[in-house]
Amino acid sequence: MPTQPYFYAKEDEKTTYLSGVVEGLTKELARSMNNPDVAVAADVFYVGEHNEIPIREALKNRLSHYCNMSGVVSSPVHEKMLIKEVDFTLEHSAYPSLSSAILALLRENTQEIQRGIYAFTDDLIAYLGNLRQVYRMHEMGNRYEIFHDFYMRLVDTVLFAEYQNYVVMIVFGTDA
């Protein structure tokens, strides 16, 4: 997730604050996983008072905002093409909790890793309230190019955790 304050210039104070919290929690999660081959990034999106903004649209809005603020994407036409192609389906996770969904993705599962994941998910609940649903991004194909500039080089899996008014996107992959 971008750390420069200007990336959040158009966000309300609560979303800006939560973005910093989620970034800090994600760094702790990555540190607890203790695997240099795995990168973890996260972002938080406001999805409306009654969660009426679809996750896909919230993600497209955030990526468009990042592109406009960063100048990373070579042209407005290129940006619109990339963001337009951010099309995916979400499948409900078969796991009852975010921690179990994350643990299922990992090859290594030590007590230290479990403690780090449980701390991460418990802290998200402390800031965002009870988890409503976990989704996994499905069928995005090779259209992860837009993620490279803002999250990580190689994306493997993307999870979305839906809370009241907010969705946390957790991206797993590698920066190698």
Side-chain angles (χ1 to χ4, degrees):
M1 171 169 34
T3 58
Q4 295 85 356
Y6 62 83
F7 278 114
Y8 304 104
K10 291 187 176 185
E11 299 287 351
D12 63 65
E13 289 179 13
K14 183 173 182 180
T15 303
T16 302
Y17 174 76
L18 289 172
S19 295
V21 167
V22 168
E23 181 178 4
L25 294 174
T26 303
K27 286 181 179 179
E28 284 300 314
L29 173 63
R31 198 173 359 266
S32 73
M33 291 170 63
N34 198 26
N35 185 340
D37 296 331
V38 176
V40 182
D43 209 343
V44 61
F45 312 111
Y46 178 73
V47 291
E49 284 298 315
H50 305 288
N51 293 38
E52 67 272 10
I53 301 169
I55 293 171
R56 180 183 303 106
E57 292 308 310
L59 175 58
K60 285 182 178 186
N61 291 341
R62 177 56 56 85
L63 293 174
S64 181
H65 177 70
Y66 286 167
C67 288
N68 291 333
M69 297 302 291
S70 70
V72 169
V73 177
S74 58
S75 74
V77 173
H78 186 221
E79 170 210 337
K80 286 179 183 170
M81 178 191 74
L82 288 173
I83 292 173
K84 182 180 178 188
E85 292 182 10
V86 174
D87 190 25
F88 54 89
T89 57
L90 294 176
E91 58 185 30
H92 289 277
S93 172
Y95 299 97
S97 67
L98 180 57
S99 56
S100 58
I102 294 171
L103 286 167
L105 296 174
L106 304 177
R107 290 186 191 108
E108 186 178 347
N109 188 351
T110 66
Q111 284 187 341
E112 181 182 348
I113 291 171
Q114 288 178 12
R115 279 193 298 271
I117 291 170
Y118 293 139
F120 172 75
T121 58
D122 289 348
D123 287 343
L124 285 177
I125 290 170
Y127 285 100
L128 296 167
N130 289 331
L131 178 69
R132 289 179 161 199
Q133 181 66 48
V134 177
Y135 302 95
R136 184 175 179 160
M137 183 183 283
H138 185 68
E139 295 301 322
M140 190 165 172
N142 60 359
R143 294 294 175 194
Y144 286 120
E145 181 180 349
I146 192 85
F147 284 80
H148 300 176
D149 294 325
F150 303 110
Y151 299 104
M152 67 189 55
R153 181 170 293 292
L154 298 172
V155 175
D156 180 48
T157 302
V158 181
L159 295 177
F160 292 92
E162 183 180 23
Y163 299 88
Q164 176 64 39
N165 305 340
Y166 290 92
V167 170
V168 176
M169 177 180 73
I170 308 165
V171 182
F172 295 88
T174 183
D175 278 329

